[in-house]
Amino acid sequence: MPALNETHDLNLRSWVVSANAADTDFPIQNLPFAEFRRKGSSEAFRGGVAIGDQVVDLAAAAQQGLFSGAAADGAQACAQPTLNEFMAMGGSVWSALRLALSRGLREGAAEQASLADCLIAQSEVEYSLPCSIGDYTDFYTSVHHATSVGKLFRPDNPLLPNYKWVPIGYHGRSSSIDVSGQEFKRPCGQTKAPDATEPSVGPCKRLDYELEVGIYIGKGNDLGSPIALDDSDKHVFGMCLFNDWSARDIQAWEYQPLGPFLAKNFASTVSPWIVTTEALAPYRAEFSRDPADPQPMPYLSSELNSSEGALDIKLEVLLQTEAMRNRGDAPAKVSQSNFIHSYWTVAQMVAHHTVNGCNMRPGDFLGSGTQSGPEHEEGGSLLELSRGGKEAFTLPSGEQRTFLEDGDAVVMRGWCEKVGAARIGFGEVVSTVLPANK
Ligand code: CA
């Protein structure tokens, strides 16, 4: 893993004053990457790094020649409308640019005057996808989600016997992944009510979100050459928040025997910022498996993975109905969870995905699967919170929900915090459901 180094120092302060606020997602210890341009402009998208409430324009910084060596090469690659080339360059370049930015943004830095010219307020920018996502794979790593959803779909047999041996996943579709702010039409499709004799086609009636984290592959691997468990960090560029929208009624009818298809590929939304693997280093945590469960097979097990394979990322979901939005009510919290409950680690997902020789390419994307915690209130989807649509819950506005209504906006947030390390955040991912095609 990337070692803790001077960029993680809790005592660092930035000359960008907003980066020193206790509750900012983007202190100088974070430095996540996105693609942005001025809101409403026809400027080219280019790479940027968040600091406080500002963005460092990496194209401008590269043009000014503010960095040298590998950091300069990295910044130059980030000047493009996707980060794929930068992500392909690997850990030494990612770290060199992070270090140069950390030093340049610190209080007292000689680069302050020139870097200040490269800042744009986040309130004045819009984002695109940070990279071109070639392939998208969705895992299913929360045993709590798998068990509670399994109970709804198969009451007698909730957790299938392979679950505790194989990091379950399926190949998704990248074309419908978009960045925060995405608005999409309620999907239509084939569904069959339990008491109906035949299926019908029409708008989804059980539209849901899935609270996930997303994992971006940086450096790829050659076809036929698996990524070993302990080499995963050399390949994983960073992580984001991910809402993997799901049509539960379409899913229930179509999923056997090959798994999800049209219930999942109509929209998925990522947060704009990629928090790097290096920035997350202070939040690595022990990974262990209940002694009563099968222990991970040798290719999914190592000392390193056991000592620091897990990640402590706090997650929450908020909902804002159209009526709330019209009244100016803030989104209301619906549930909270933590990626630390994941049954499989990021490294295990990567090692398993490539054990057969499958090649990953820069910009490939892995969804973690819905991250539900052990308690009912920690459900990462409405399917769980409403117990399969049987129990409506009431929002502070008095409105009730089992599944999503048109006009509902779902907000997800994530952050890491602990004593002795700087709190870092992921920002948020928000997206809104529009009415189905007539
Ligand atoms: Ca999913």
Side-chain angles (χ1 to χ4, degrees), residues 125-201:
V125 309
E126 60 188 9
Y127 302 96
S128 66
L129 280 179
C131 62
S132 169
I133 298 173
D135 279 304
Y136 158 45
T137 302
D138 197 19
F139 281 92
Y140 197 52
T141 65
S142 166
V143 69
H144 308 295
H145 174 73
T147 304
S148 51
V149 171
K151 270 183 199 153
L152 297 169
F153 282 72
R154 295 175 305 274
D156 303 333
N157 189 19
L159 200 63
L160 294 171
N162 58 1
Y163 188 85
K164 293 185 172 178
W165 294 95
V166 182
I168 299 290
Y170 70 97
H171 283 127
R173 189 167 177 85
S174 57
S175 64
S176 50
I177 301 179
D178 205 349
V179 75
S180 184
Q182 182 178 29
E183 296 181 336
F184 65 92
K185 294 175 186 170
R186 174 180 297 273
C188 291
Q190 223 186 93
T191 59
K192 182 177 165 300
D195 50 354
T197 51
E198 287 186 356
S200 58
V201 66

Side-chain angles (χ1 to χ4, degrees), residues 136 138 170 210 212 244 264 369-370:
Y136 158 45
D138 197 19
Y170 70 97
E210 292 194 325
E212 304 196 19
D244 194 24
K264 301 281 185 171
T370 307

Side-chain angles (χ1 to χ4, degrees), residues 170-371:
Y170 70 97
H171 283 127
R173 189 167 177 85
S174 57
S175 64
S176 50
I177 301 179
D178 205 349
V179 75
S180 184
Q182 182 178 29
E183 296 181 336
F184 65 92
K185 294 175 186 170
R186 174 180 297 273
C188 291
Q190 223 186 93
T191 59
K192 182 177 165 300
D195 50 354
T197 51
E198 287 186 356
S200 58
V201 66
C204 162
K205 295 187 183 74
R206 289 159 71 95
L207 183 62
D208 201 355
Y209 58 77
E210 292 194 325
L211 170 64
E212 304 196 19
V213 294
I215 297 147
Y216 285 99
I217 299 298
K219 206 173 170 55
N221 61 305
D222 294 332
L223 184 62
S225 300
I227 297 174
L229 188 69
D230 286 352
D231 286 338
S232 156
D233 288 338
K234 297 177 190 155
H235 295 270
V236 174
F237 176 65
M239 297 174 66
C240 69
L241 303 169
F242 184 49
N243 184 349
D244 194 24
W245 302 92
S246 295
R248 300 300 181 191
D249 43 359
I250 297 174
Q251 182 180 358
W253 173 232
E254 75 173 5
Y255 88 107
Q256 289 179 320
L258 287 186
F261 184 34
L262 302 182
K264 301 281 185 171
N265 66 6
F266 54 92
S268 304
T269 321
V270 294
S271 54
W273 297 103
I274 307 177
V275 176
T276 62
T277 299
E278 189 170 357
L280 289 166
Y283 294 98
R284 306 289 282 239
E286 274 183 25
F287 168 81
S288 63
R289 190 50 64 72
D290 186 331
D293 282 1
Q295 299 303 297
M297 294 172 83
Y299 77 100
L300 296 175
S301 181
S302 74
E303 265 179 48
L304 188 66
N305 190 62
S306 299
S307 62
E308 54 195 42
L311 273 167
D312 183 353
I313 304 175
K314 295 171 171 56
L315 301 166
E316 66 179 23
V317 183
L318 304 95
L319 184 59
Q320 186 188 49
T321 67
E322 191 166 19
M324 290 166 70
R325 195 156 52 249
N326 290 342
R327 276 197 305 271
D329 294 352
K333 188 156 125 182
V334 176
S335 71
Q336 60 191 13
S337 185
N338 193 312
F339 185 51
I340 206 157
H341 300 306
S342 178
Y343 198 78
W344 301 101
T345 66
V346 171
Q348 287 170 326
M349 287 183 242
V350 171
H352 180 68
H353 202 311
T354 60
V355 70
N356 66 344
C358 174
N359 54 324
M360 302 276 202
R361 294 176 294 189
D364 280 358
F365 186 81
L366 313 180
S368 63
T370 307
Q371 292 302 307

